[in-house]
């Protein structure tokens, strides 16, 4: 079963310098039917104006992923990490027992567009840590490339949860099929462009909960960038954040 949730059905947040679309309940957007899925708690589609951003603020016991689609995102944290994340980079900050960080648009002239994703960890109060990789487009072109996993396999980032995250680029005749383990859940998020998945059309911002499917086939893409989450088969009533 593929339960689609269209882009326009997402929550919104408009703060002038920040325009957000919320797949799941977050901040001022509350929907009891959209409070995460399995261990996936947040997918925020954020656009930040030039020179603006999120000042230093704390997190704990959360796996926080930043995935830049356009522009440059500057990150600093209390672990001493400082970096600028650009398209193709994947950042994973394991907040663990507690960390403070800031995220700003690195450019003073252009906007930045990125996804911030939160996954609930399997263990609490671990040591905070930071990881980052760059994944060339060639490794995602016409296929789903593993970018985050619980064991760091295939040069993926290591997350403290039973979840695998894949990224793929699809255009024209490019096609890939991903097998889903027996009883596993999945979540689809189309970051940009459009694509057909198991015969269903998806546009930018669309997503879907996936249950009781053995495989997903991605094809007929039009400049599509897609994330797929392989998740534990659990229904968790997360508190809204």
């Amino acid at each position: 079963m593929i339960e689609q949730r269209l882009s326009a059905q997402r929550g919104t947040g408009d703060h002038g310098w920040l325009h957000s679309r919320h797949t799941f309940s977050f901040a001022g957007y509350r929907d009891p039917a959209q409070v995460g899925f399995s261990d996936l708690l947040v997918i925020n589609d954020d656009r930040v104006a030039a020179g603006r951003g999120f000042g230093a603020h704390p997190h704990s016991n959360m796996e926080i992923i930043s995935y830049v689609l356009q522009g440059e995102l500057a990150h600093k944290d209390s672990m001493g990490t400082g970096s600028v994340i650009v398209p193709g980079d994947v950042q994973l900050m394991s907040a663990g027992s507690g960390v403070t960080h800031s995220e700003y648009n690195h450019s003073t002239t252009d906007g930045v567009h990125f996804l911030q994703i939160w996954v609930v960890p399997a263990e609490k109060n671990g040591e905070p840590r930071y990881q980052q990789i760059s994944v060339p487009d060639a490794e995602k072109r016409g296929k789903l490339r593993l970018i985050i996993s619980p064991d760091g396999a295939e040069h993926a980032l290591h997350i403290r949860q039973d979840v695998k995250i894949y990224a793929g680029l699809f255009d024209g005749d490019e096609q890939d099929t991903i097998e889903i383990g027996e009883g596993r859940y999945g979540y689809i998020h189309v970051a940009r462009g459009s694509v057909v998945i198991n015969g269903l059309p998806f546009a930018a911002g669309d997503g879907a909960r996936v249950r009781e499917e053995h495989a997903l086939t991605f094809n007929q893409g039009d400049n599509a960038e897609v994330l797929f989450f392989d998740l534990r088969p659990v229904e968790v009533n997360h508190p809204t954040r």
Side-chain angles (χ1 to χ4, degrees), residues 140-143 169-176 195 218-221 224:
K140 298 176 286 188
R141 172 58 55 199
K143 57 187 174 184
L169 303 172
F170 296 93
D171 201 43
D173 294 333
E174 294 169 341
Q175 175 172 305
D176 193 22
V195 66
F218 296 73
N219 56 23
Q220 299 178 48

Side-chain angles (χ1 to χ4, degrees), residues 25-43:
S25 292
F26 185 86
Y29 168 60
R30 294 289 186 267
D31 183 342
Q34 303 296 336
V35 187
F37 182 57
S38 180
D39 299 300
L40 178 60
L41 184 63
V42 167
I43 302 177

Side-chain angles (χ1 to χ4, degrees), residues 74-115:
H75 166 95
K76 290 185 179 180
D77 62 44
S78 56
M79 295 178 284
T81 307
S83 65
V84 176
I85 310 159
V86 299
D89 291 347
V90 185
Q91 177 204 78
L92 172 57
M93 186 180 74
S94 299
S97 59
V99 66
T100 299
H101 80 142
S102 63
E103 290 177 300
Y104 276 87
N105 186 343
H106 187 62
S107 173
T108 58
T109 57
D110 301 315
V112 63
H113 180 198
F114 73 104
L115 302 177

Side-chain angles (χ1 to χ4, degrees), residues 65-69 71-73 83-92 115 130-137 140 147 157 225:
I65 300 146
S66 294
Y67 188 98
V68 175
L69 297 166
E72 301 176 331
L73 184 68
S83 65
V84 176
I85 310 159
V86 299
D89 291 347
V90 185
Q91 177 204 78
L92 172 57
L115 302 177
Y130 179 93
Q131 304 168 72
Q132 182 176 332
I133 55 171
S134 181
V135 183
D137 283 358
K140 298 176 286 188
I147 58 172
L157 300 180
E225 186 159 7

Side-chain angles (χ1 to χ4, degrees), residues 1-3 5 24 33-37 186-187 207-211:
M1 178 177 67
I2 300 175
E3 179 187 347
R5 177 167 165 78
F24 304 113
Q34 303 296 336
V35 187
F37 182 57
Y187 195 86
R209 289 173 166 86
V210 179
R211 302 179 181 90

Side-chain angles (χ1 to χ4, degrees), residues 159-179:
I159 194 168
R160 290 169 169 157
Q161 184 53 271
D162 180 11
V163 57
K164 292 181 179 179
I165 305 176
Y166 299 81
L169 303 172
F170 296 93
D171 201 43
D173 294 333
E174 294 169 341
Q175 175 172 305
D176 193 22
T177 297
I178 188 166
E179 304 292 329

